[in-house]
Amino acid sequence: MIFGDYVVQKDLNFEIAKGEIFVIMGGSGCGKSTLMKHMTGLIRPARGRVRYDGESYWEADDERRAELGRRMGILFQSGALWSSMTLAENVALPLEQYTHLSDRDVAELVALKLALVGLRGFEEYFPNEISGGMRKRAGLARAIALDPDILFFDEPSAGLDPISSRRLDDLILELRDSLGATIVMVTHELPSIFTVADNSIFLDAETRTAIAHGNPRELAAHSDLPAVRTFLSRGEKE
Amino acid sequence: MAPEHVNRLEVFRAVDGVWEVRAVGRWTVEAALPDPSEILDTLADRPGVGLRLCSREVSSWDSSLVAVLMRVADAAQAQGRTLDTSLLPEGVRRLLALAIAVPERSGTGRKEKRKGLFTGTGVAVLQRWKRFNDLLTFIGETIIALGTFFSGKARFRAEDFWLAVEASGARALPIVTIIALLIGMIFAFVGAVQLRQFGADIYVANLVAVAMSREMGAVMTAIVLAGRTGAAFAAHISAMQGNEEVDALTSLGLSPMQFLVVPRVMALILMMPFLTLYADVMGILGGLIVAAGMLNVTMAAYLVQTTQAIGPSDIAIGLTKSLFFGALVAMAGCRAGMRSGRSAAAVGDATTKAVVSGILYVIVCDAIFAVILQRLGL
């Protein structure tokens, strides 16, 4: 991963198993979000491959890339809802573009997705009329609109109070279990890392590579690297 | 279509006497969803307290199945039935539980009430009146902020001022050059066709010089700046609104009027006369090119005629107007930005408004000037 002449991260090599919740952690500015953008097809990596079921994303043609993209759902950091559309229209857009459902059926599915994230009855609201936490959940409803196989979350709990953040974690777990989706999450919120993660990598800004890989609870307890242990214990003395 | 592709709901009474809604077939978003309302009507006539959902005969499913089952579950709850979901696959059961866990919040419904003709007119008039009041308030606030500026107490970054000067001055030169040159040429062409009939070719110089210095130099420059700089002001301030940057200024005790509006208004008031003067010269040059190229007028004769046609007072009138135009264009831009909403769409609205109202203010102001100058006999 390179920005101009600046190498952000190099030699990253990891696998994410189907159905697991995989967390990308690391301090600010270590390239977590950039790594996710490489994985979701928003920025082409300077070198290397991103494979889905063995298929290299960046070597596929445009059409195939779009197909792969449809299997992903992304929740952006601040929701990234389209501000000129109501919540219902936001969630409906992917359905209208990629399925042949009638308007009534789209409306049914939109009602379901909003109900799943606890926003029943907010169909006609605009994103700037609801709270930050609700915008995030609405963003999640849009991300799961097409029943994606892989869900990406960029800092899902940033800017949420502990209770909302906990509820979002529960929602993520519940959706993983019921939809059977794989979840990739960029976060540095320790409580949510410990609650939801099955597996993780730790990106280090100094060595510019992943210095740890594994279940975060185990890493916190047994990692040989002080940097990782310090991060996972909020820098408190062990 | 093969039968296994058909998705449908069936309702019947199971052996233990409980009503059962059974989903059959393939439930994916590729196929249309069946309408559950018929089933719901049937259920309404059937007595009983329980309802079992069943999907044993479903070959594959995604959220479309859950969406329809959610409707059925809603209806069942409304009828006071208890729901039995134990026969559903685990994923469906959990999604359904999640979906109906949070009841629809009441009071979120949005129905536009139809307004009568009189109410509608009244509301529209009141809105216009409010907007007009708001415009006056903004002008007042700007004047107060400018007062603070001239008393030397305004807080803003000098850098912002110079950036605005550069953006509205030096960077606007190319477009002002082209527009003014072409306007001068167009006037000369149109004038030449008429004046030639009387052999009064040389008076093209008068036409171009008077039009440019008194009117078109200032008006065209103002319109160019409304589209260029006024829109940029609006977009910038509106995006700052969306990002809560304006709130951040206010919370520091900095007045956004002083900090954002004053440097921009001052920059345009400063640069407009220079640009107008420049536009005058370019317009006259345009007329000269046409006159020398197309008519029997020499360059020297054209220039001499120009100096006789206009005096310092004509130029001064144009420059005075340009001061006002500059202030109006900047204020229209800043006002659109300051009063904008906080979304991406609001930025677009703000720029549109900045350009439209900027041009409108300039033309109205020019008309007022025309009346005043005529009365004064200037």
Side-chain angles (χ1 to χ4, degrees), chain A residues 73-74 91 95 112-114 116-117 139-148 151 153 175 179, chain B residues 63 95:
Chain A
I74 307 174
V91 180
L95 289 166
L112 169 71
K113 304 292 169 171
L114 285 174
L116 284 177
V117 297
L140 180 54
R142 186 180 67 185
I144 59 173
L146 291 171
D147 291 343
L151 269 170
F153 292 87
L175 286 174
L179 292 170
Chain B
S63 39
L95 282 175

Side-chain angles (χ1 to χ4, degrees), chain A residues 105 108 113 120-121 147 174, chain B residues 33 63 71 74 94 108:
Chain A
D105 293 352
E108 293 276 309
K113 304 292 169 171
R120 260 188 140 172
D147 291 343
E174 186 62 43
Chain B
L33 307 183
S63 39
R71 285 276 161 259
D74 277 349
R94 295 178 76 150
T108 54

Side-chain angles (χ1 to χ4, degrees), chain A residues 75-79 117 130-140 153-172 185 187-192:
Chain A
L75 173 60
F76 292 91
Q77 213 172 99
S78 51
V117 297
I130 57 175
S131 74
M134 287 157 85
R135 271 204 284 277
K136 260 206 177 142
R137 282 187 277 145
L140 180 54
F153 292 87
D154 192 2
E155 305 272 3
S157 38
L160 295 186
D161 65 85
I163 297 167
S164 312
S165 143
R166 176 66 212 235
R167 276 201 200 123
L168 191 66
D169 287 345
D170 292 344
L171 184 60
I172 291 168
M185 205 165 164
T187 183
H188 46 222
E189 296 276 320
L190 292 176
S192 56

Side-chain angles (χ1 to χ4, degrees), chain A residues 10-37:
Chain A
K10 58 189 181 192
D11 304 330
L12 295 178
N13 199 348
F14 57 91
E15 267 180 37
I16 299 171
K18 196 170 159 50
E20 82 179 356
I21 298 188
F22 188 92
V23 171
I24 302 169
M25 2 176 231
S28 299
C30 67
K32 299 184 297 283
S33 297
T34 316
L35 174 59
M36 199 169 99
K37 284 185 176 151

Side-chain angles (χ1 to χ4, degrees), chain B residues 7-24:
Chain B
N7 48 24
R8 62 179 191 279
L9 287 174
E10 290 169 353
V11 59
F12 62 94
R13 192 167 204 153
V15 275
D16 55 358
V18 179
W19 285 99
E20 205 170 281
V21 170
R22 183 178 285 184
V24 181

Side-chain angles (χ1 to χ4, degrees), chain B residues 216-237:
Chain B
M216 297 315 286
V219 170
M220 292 316 292
T221 310
I223 288 175
V224 167
L225 285 200
R228 210 183 160 277
T229 315
F233 288 172
H236 188 173
I237 298 178

